[in-house]
Every structure is written in C-alpha cells, then in structure tokens.
Amino acid sequence: MSLIITDDCINCDVCEPECPNSAISPGEDIYEIDPNLCTECVGHYDEPQCQQVCPVDCIPKDSNNVESQDELMEKYLMITAAA
C-alpha cells in the first residue's frame, strides 16, 4: 500500500529528497505522495525513507491504496524500467 501525508505535516521538506521514486511533491497546503509512484521504498530500501526522516510522524500507510509486497515490487520494476 502506498503512503499518505496527513494534515500534521509541517512542510519541513525533509521527506521529498529522500523519496527514490520522486513520489513526494509540494501540494497546495502540505506535501503529497503520488500513490502511482509510491512503492514504500520496496526495491530501494528495507523501510520507507520518508517515514524515517519525518520529524512529526505524519506519513502512515494509505488504507485507500492497499497493495501487497509483490504488487509494490511490480510497481517498482515498472517505474525503474520507464526511467
């Protein structure tokens, strides 16, 4: 499942450069994660890097975008093949 940034975001900008898939971008009020690009860092790291650096712990899993580890790996392979 992809991740989501909640309203608790303080716009500190530490998550965006950590995303290996460029899934994080500034939104109108807070940063946003593109669920089509988020693989929870599967294929790159063992843990989502944005969650590791977030100082306010505002990046939970998005229950509206449920994906298995295999689906996340397939998405990673598609994203990296297109790059």
Side-chain angles (χ1 to χ4, degrees):
M1 111 180 12
S2 66
L3 303 172
I4 190 169
I5 297 177
T6 68
D7 291 340
D8 294 332
C9 176
I10 59 172
N11 288 314
C12 67
D13 190 42
V14 298
C15 60
E16 183 182 20
E18 295 299 320
C19 181
N21 297 326
S22 299
I24 301 173
S25 61
E28 189 172 315
D29 296 317
I30 60 173
Y31 277 81
E32 299 176 347
I33 297 177
D34 181 342
N36 296 315
L37 295 175
C38 179
T39 62
E40 291 185 45
C41 290
V42 167
H44 295 283
Y45 302 103
D46 292 334
E47 297 179 1
Q49 298 302 290
C50 59
Q51 287 180 330
Q52 299 301 308
V53 298
C54 180
V56 292
D57 195 27
C58 69
I59 309 175
K61 292 183 181 231
D62 182 359
S63 60
N64 292 323
N65 289 297
V66 178
E67 296 170 292
S68 69
Q69 290 293 310
D70 288 339
E71 290 171 317
L72 291 170
M73 180 56 83
E74 286 178 35
K75 188 191 307 184
Y76 160 77
L77 293 172
M78 288 178 57
I79 291 168
T80 56

